Amino acid sequence: MTTTEPSPELSPDLQRVLDSVPDPGGVTTSDEVYAATDVDLEGFLAKPARASSSDLVPGVLVLHDWMGVIDHVEVRAQMLARLGYVALAGDVYGQGVRPSPEEAAGEAGKYYGDVALFRSRLLANLERLRAEPGVDPSRIAVMGYCFGGSGALELARAGADVAGVVSFHGGLGTGMPAEKGAVTAPLLVMTGAADPVVPDEAVVAFEDEMRAAEAPDWQVLSYSGVMHAFAVPGTDAPDHGARYDARADRRSWQQLEAFLAEVFA
Amino acid sequence: MTTTEPSPELSPDLQRVLDSVPDPGGVTTSDEVYAATDVDLEGFLAKPARASSSDLVPGVLVLHDWMGVIDHVEVRAQMLARLGYVALAGDVYGQGVRPSPEEAAGEAGKYYGDVALFRSRLLANLERLRAEPGVDPSRIAVMGYCFGGSGALELARAGADVAGVVSFHGGLGTGMPAEKGAVTAPLLVMTGAADPVVPDEAVVAFEDEMRAAEAPDWQVLSYSGVMHAFAVPGTDAPDHGARYDARADRRSWQQLEAFLAEVFA
């Protein structure tokens, strides 16, 4: 299915986020089904309407938070397409697996608890994007939110051959710490300094993991007063340490744009 | 004395750094003498040649590393003037006090050891910039390198009424931790994750100080593999934990530009 944006019925916050990136020439979007090693996945692809197949552009894989492929990551993919990139909002959970808020933690937990499975699903998404016509296979970046930020870092630990990896308030721990030399991509980690999921000790432990792995290029940016899920509009659970923060969202997106411009140059 | 740039005999690295910012309309520079409470200071002022006294522009105070006001901070001031700001490379040490490399640590140590004196010198520089014709007194930022990064943070702790404070590889400790509510300015701290002067524990201690002080807006950005003095061209003392890093210099300057654009908006 190919449609033109905007998606129907975005929340005002999400619409504002989408509108923060000017749209120079339209975006085409489609739902895409593709195979992982064990199940089919269903992602959401967004491409600049002006892209031609003879003109290769960078690709960005966007990894969802524990809610799966919903409007938030679809909006992010569209924002990236407005910037001229081909973006795939990838699917870790599998076609049709769209948890309710009550089910989401349990669904995400399956992958936190089985890093090999997590990585295989992530790689299937990465290879789907890399194979997309019009995408420059040598210029692929991966980014993700919360669970998807953890996923982006898992791809880095797995040695994925990508130009850059970005985590927005992702968990920084892993069941399979990076082996020495495994991480080759530049990393940008953005985290809330009031995020109980990622306390200071978790940041330092991650940095120590990257030092031990001799990861060649990472940056960690902490935002004061900012909680988990700061870049997911609509999040408002401060008692659980999670809250949307419009300023940190805006700043972190600006960081993303500058990082992508650098690693794709 | 008023001259037009460029300064004579910059090192190739420093010339490259200066040239990284396009010069749209020329810069005028002057050495300026002004009084602190105890001694006279001599700073270096850089202004956009196109600035008119009826057109107020933001001001940026640039604070030197332990070498004092030398070509490095003069170049930074000129870069800021090219961006349209009035910049003062301020002087903490006093007119004529220009230590040799062997004397520099001792000279800086006088101020680390007497925070009240440090702050009074810093404030004299800030007020000199604020009084400069053409400067918008409500839009002043402070930035500094190494010792000067510490100085910028001291001004924040002192409750200086500024729009923003930026530290490049500054020491993050202080003899006078911020009182609750004292820090009002947004802070941007950029630090090397391989800087022995600022180990992880010092970063966390600074963050805890800012949390306790309820500082409203701070960001800390760590660069992997990057040592002390990463933004001071010519530094090459890895055995002492200090080394210039062209990539971190470029990235941190880009951060500065975005931060200033935000806080002066």
Side-chain angles (χ1 to χ4, degrees):
Chain A
M1 180 193 73
T2 298
T3 59
T4 52
E5 59 164 338
S7 303
E9 295 176 48
L10 293 177
S11 72
D13 264 0
L14 209 43
Q15 186 67 50
R16 177 184 51 72
V17 168
L18 175 59
D19 292 343
S20 69
V21 176
D23 184 3
V27 167
T28 58
T29 65
S30 54
D31 297 316
E32 301 286 338
V33 177
Y34 42 99
T37 52
D38 54 341
V39 296
D40 281 348
L41 308 175
E42 184 172 2
F44 174 90
L45 189 69
K47 306 179 76 162
R50 67 190 184 286
S52 75
S53 58
S54 63
D55 208 25
L56 296 182
V57 300
V60 182
L61 175 62
V62 184
L63 295 168
H64 56 76
D65 66 24
W66 67 12
M67 290 301 295
V69 180
I70 61 172
D71 53 3
H72 173 243
V73 279
E74 294 181 354
V75 162
R76 299 297 181 182
Q78 292 174 61
M79 292 164 72
L80 291 159
R82 290 179 175 194
L83 293 172
Y85 306 127
V86 172
L88 175 65
D91 174 24
V92 172
Y93 291 164
Q95 188 177 23
V97 181
R98 297 296 179 263
S100 69
E102 293 70 31
E103 297 164 338
E107 190 62 28
K110 294 178 188 174
Y111 300 90
Y112 285 129
D114 185 346
V115 178
L117 175 64
F118 198 5
R119 290 184 181 184
S120 78
R121 296 283 179 89
L122 294 162
L123 280 166
N125 283 288
L126 179 60
E127 295 320 314
R128 173 62 186 82
L129 174 61
R130 205 188 294 275
E132 178 66 21
V135 171
D136 181 348
S138 71
R139 289 190 295 166
I140 304 274
V142 182
M143 59 184 269
Y145 296 87
C146 302
F147 173 75
S150 299
L153 295 174
E154 281 307 327
L155 277 174
R157 293 182 178 101
D161 177 23
V162 294
V165 170
V166 182
S167 170
F168 294 79
H169 45 75
L172 302 181
T174 179
M176 294 174 66
E179 310 247 341
K180 188 179 292 191
V183 178
T184 57
L187 312 182
L188 173 61
V189 170
M190 293 176 283
T191 195
D195 181 346
V197 179
V198 188
D200 292 346
E201 310 86 70
V203 173
V204 172
F206 172 77
E207 294 180 347
D208 283 341
E209 181 198 355
M210 292 299 112
R211 290 180 178 114
E214 298 179 0
D217 179 17
W218 47 265
Q219 302 175 67
V220 175
L221 177 52
S222 294
Y223 295 109
S224 74
V226 167
M227 293 184 172
H228 199 59
F230 65 77
V232 181
T235 307
D236 186 24
D239 291 350
H240 295 86
R243 184 171 56 198
Y244 177 65
D245 185 295
R247 183 173 67 188
D249 179 12
R250 189 175 64 246
R251 286 176 171 174
S252 59
W253 185 266
Q254 188 179 32
Q255 295 286 341
L256 172 73
E257 288 197 15
F259 181 81
L260 293 178
E262 179 189 320
V263 302
F264 289 151
Chain B
M1 181 191 72
T2 297
T3 60
T4 51
E5 61 164 335
S7 303
E9 297 176 47
L10 293 177
S11 72
D13 263 1
L14 210 43
Q15 186 67 52
R16 177 183 51 72
V17 168
L18 174 59
D19 293 343
S20 70
V21 176
D23 183 4
V27 167
T28 59
T29 64
S30 54
D31 297 316
E32 300 286 338
V33 178
Y34 42 99
T37 52
D38 54 343
V39 296
D40 280 348
L41 308 175
E42 184 172 4
F44 174 89
L45 188 69
K47 305 178 77 163
R50 66 190 185 287
S52 75
S53 58
S54 63
D55 210 23
L56 296 181
V57 300
V60 182
L61 176 62
V62 184
L63 295 168
H64 56 76
D65 66 24
W66 66 13
M67 291 300 296
V69 180
I70 61 171
D71 53 2
H72 173 243
V73 278
E74 294 181 353
V75 162
R76 299 297 180 181
Q78 291 173 61
M79 293 164 72
L80 291 159
R82 290 180 175 194
L83 293 171
Y85 306 128
V86 171
L88 175 66
D91 174 24
V92 172
Y93 290 165
Q95 188 177 22
V97 181
R98 297 295 180 262
S100 69
E102 292 70 30
E103 297 165 338
E107 189 62 30
K110 295 178 188 174
Y111 300 90
Y112 285 130
D114 185 346
V115 177
L117 175 64
F118 197 7
R119 290 184 181 183
S120 79
R121 296 281 179 91
L122 293 162
L123 280 166
N125 283 288
L126 179 60
E127 294 320 315
R128 173 62 185 83
L129 174 62
R130 205 188 294 273
E132 177 65 20
V135 170
D136 181 348
S138 71
R139 290 189 293 164
I140 303 276
V142 181
M143 57 183 271
Y145 296 87
C146 302
F147 173 76
S150 299
L153 295 174
E154 281 307 326
L155 277 173
R157 292 182 179 102
D161 177 24
V162 294
V165 170
V166 182
S167 169
F168 295 79
H169 45 76
L172 302 181
T174 179
M176 293 173 66
E179 310 246 339
K180 188 179 291 190
V183 178
T184 58
L187 313 181
L188 173 61
V189 170
M190 293 176 283
T191 196
D195 181 346
V197 179
V198 188
D200 292 347
E201 309 85 73
V203 174
V204 172
F206 172 78
E207 295 180 348
D208 283 342
E209 181 198 355
M210 292 300 112
R211 290 179 178 115
E214 298 178 0
D217 179 15
W218 47 265
Q219 303 175 67
V220 175
L221 177 52
S222 294
Y223 296 109
S224 74
V226 169
M227 293 183 172
H228 199 59
F230 64 77
V232 181
T235 307
D236 187 23
D239 292 349
H240 294 87
R243 184 171 56 198
Y244 178 64
D245 186 295
R247 183 172 68 189
D249 179 12
R250 190 175 64 247
R251 285 176 171 174
S252 59
W253 185 266
Q254 187 179 35
Q255 295 286 341
L256 171 73
E257 288 197 15
F259 181 81
L260 293 179
E262 180 188 319
V263 301
F264 289 151

